[in-house]
Amino acid sequence: MMEKLLEGIRILDFTNYLPGPYATQRLGDLGAEIIKVEPLAGDPARHTGVKRDGTGVVYLANNHGKMSVSVDLKNEGDREKILSLVEGCDVIIESFRPGVMSKFGLDYESVNLHKADIIYCSITGYGNNGKWSKLGSHDINYMALSGMLAQLKDTSGRPIHPSITLADYFGSMAACEMVLALLLKKERSGLGGYHTISLTDVATSFMGTHLMINQETGEEQGITLLNGELISYGIYETKDGRYMALGSLEYKFWQNFCEAVEREEWLGAHFSVRRDSNPVSTEMEKLFAGRTFEEWTTFSQEVDCCLTPVLEVGELSSYPYFQENNSIFQDDIGNVKVAMHSGSNNGFKPAPSVGEHTVRLLDKL
């Protein structure tokens, strides 16, 4: 079990849906105390998508172990209570559109008057300034604008609609990174600070290698050797219609693979191109298609060749790796928890009900 590195840090969480809640949950897994400030009806994620006992599972999955206070920020009395609560907090994270927190008198400048060393992080789509900052957008928009979405294409060159919101998650981790940096600054100087996260900018930051390659060669898809071009680095279909991922870039791993399947004659084809005109490529396809997913999975554990099964989501909880590391677990009523950090299973506390801690935290103020 990981030491609670952020124990004693109290974070006021004004975020909804996914990027902000995932960020604060990561910080909570490190030991921080998270107080989620919700509208009277609750985080909208409570009421959208797939439900468990009437509550949206996106909410349940990203708000473990937090406390919840429900208030009407348009009400002066509730705003005063929140400002009083700020005095006992170290960090504020919010994800409203730029200008909204100012209307509530809870922007950084206003809060800073109540607590001079407050750390404040805003999660936005496009930053605080400029014409883009006022636009409504979601993950697919940030991925599209950053160039990231264009990296996910089918064989016809059409962008694939992803089933995971990558820009949201990357932005969440960038917010955590900034909060931790500001906490270190405060430890050294006694000063707090303010920073804005742009989900678009964070997504674009992952494109640095692609941009440099494009500048030098005109190539749009990054490192072509890693794009399924090589027979030793790609995805192969098994006999039963499942898939295995082979990553034998280093010769020693390719050698291990070839020797284990008794195809030493393939050793010289390590960096050959995967196409129908390449006989080793077609033989590789046939080889993988000749064994089942289970057989190849067993092979991957016995032969050190960078081979792994392409798991479906429903297989993760029972897969030996995750069981051995206790990184995916459930409570008594079936709520799933994924450890945010390796070794950070500090116990399972479910997501709070709307305003569960309002009386405890606000009514005495």
Side-chain angles (χ1 to χ4, degrees):
M1 184 177 294
M2 180 183 287
E3 181 183 355
K4 294 186 177 182
L5 301 173
L6 295 182
E7 189 170 16
I9 299 297
R10 176 176 270 194
I11 297 175
L12 207 53
D13 177 4
F14 292 89
T15 69
N16 296 310
Y17 291 115
L18 197 151
Y22 181 71
T24 54
Q25 183 165 268
R26 291 184 70 87
L27 295 168
D29 253 30
L30 290 173
E33 182 182 58
I34 312 298
I35 302 173
K36 186 176 179 69
V37 181
E38 303 189 62
L40 298 178
D43 181 338
R46 290 181 181 270
H47 315 294
T48 58
V50 179
K51 304 287 179 61
R52 175 188 285 275
D53 299 328
T55 301
V57 297
V58 171
Y59 174 84
L60 295 175
N62 294 285
N63 291 280
H64 295 296
K66 301 177 185 179
M67 293 187 286
S68 169
V69 297
S70 56
V71 295
D72 177 5
L73 291 178
K74 296 179 181 179
N75 179 282
E76 184 177 353
D78 282 359
R79 290 199 303 272
E80 289 300 320
K81 289 181 179 180
I82 292 297
L83 282 171
S84 296
L85 189 60
V86 164
E87 296 173 10
C89 294
D90 302 281
V91 179
I92 290 176
I93 301 179
E94 63 92 11
S95 61
F96 290 106
R97 286 202 204 190
V100 172
M101 289 296 272
S102 296
K103 294 179 181 178
F104 296 142
L106 293 169
D107 55 299
Y108 174 69
E109 289 75 15
S110 299
V111 169
N112 190 238
L113 297 175
H114 291 260
K115 186 173 177 62
D117 62 351
I118 194 71
I119 290 168
Y120 197 117
C121 180
S122 296
I123 301 175
T124 71
Y126 304 107
N128 278 336
N129 303 305
K131 63 181 181 180
W132 290 88
S133 66
K134 303 297 183 182
L135 294 177
S137 290
H138 286 290
D139 178 87
I140 196 168
N141 306 117
Y142 313 135
M143 287 188 66
L145 198 63
S146 69
M148 185 180 290
L149 190 59
Q151 302 307 307
L152 308 175
K153 293 178 178 177
D154 62 21
T155 54
S156 69
R158 179 185 178 87
I160 298 170
H161 192 124
S163 60
I164 183 169
T165 54
L166 293 174
D168 284 348
Y169 285 115
F170 290 150
S172 297
M173 288 187 279
C176 291
E177 178 182 64
M178 185 52 60
V179 166
L180 294 174
L182 289 169
L183 283 169
L184 178 59
K185 172 191 172 184
K186 180 178 176 180
E187 180 70 20
R188 291 176 170 177
S189 68
L191 301 174
Y194 176 72
H195 190 81
T196 299
I197 296 294
S198 159
L199 296 175
T200 301
D201 288 351
V202 173
T204 306
S205 73
F206 282 80
M207 301 301 297
T209 299
H210 284 67
L211 284 164
M212 184 65 76
I213 290 173
N214 177 259
Q215 177 180 296
E216 296 299 315
T217 70
E219 172 60 51
E220 297 280 1
Q221 300 303 122
I223 306 172
T224 57
L225 294 180
L226 305 182
N227 294 343
E229 179 179 282
L230 301 180
I231 64 169
S232 56
Y233 194 89
I235 300 168
Y236 287 92
E237 186 171 0
T238 66
K239 184 177 182 178
D240 47 353
R242 296 294 302 275
Y243 296 90
M244 300 294 296
L246 179 66
S248 299
L249 281 179
E250 292 81 5
Y251 183 77
K252 64 179 180 179
F253 295 125
W254 177 244
Q255 181 177 15
N256 290 344
F257 175 80
C258 293
E259 291 176 351
V261 297
E262 300 181 347
R263 295 290 194 278
E264 287 87 348
E265 68 271 20
W266 291 355
L267 289 173
H270 181 204
F271 276 177
S272 65
V273 176
R274 188 174 176 180
R275 58 167 64 109
D276 291 343
S277 60
N278 179 357
V280 178
S281 177
T282 57
E283 289 177 27
M284 281 278 287
E285 300 279 357
K286 292 177 182 178
L287 175 70
F288 274 93
R291 301 187 191 183
T292 66
F293 180 74
E294 183 177 353
E295 289 172 324
W296 280 117
T297 298
T298 300
F299 179 96
S300 74
Q301 293 297 297
E302 296 173 345
V303 180
D304 187 21
C305 62
C306 302
L307 182 69
T308 49
V310 178
L311 297 178
E312 299 292 341
V313 172
E315 297 172 315
L316 299 183
S317 296
S318 60
Y319 195 69
Y321 171 80
F322 300 108
Q323 289 187 330
E324 290 172 9
N325 288 278
N326 195 28
S327 51
I328 301 175
F329 45 99
Q330 293 182 325
D331 65 8
D332 295 336
I333 60 174
N335 289 315
V336 177
K337 172 72 185 293
V338 180
M340 297 291 103
H341 310 269
S342 180
S344 67
N345 176 5
N346 290 317
F348 191 110
K349 294 181 180 180
S353 58
V354 180
E356 182 177 337
H357 305 90
T358 302
V359 173
R360 172 182 164 187
L361 294 173
L362 294 186
D363 283 9
K364 62 184 179 181
L365 298 174

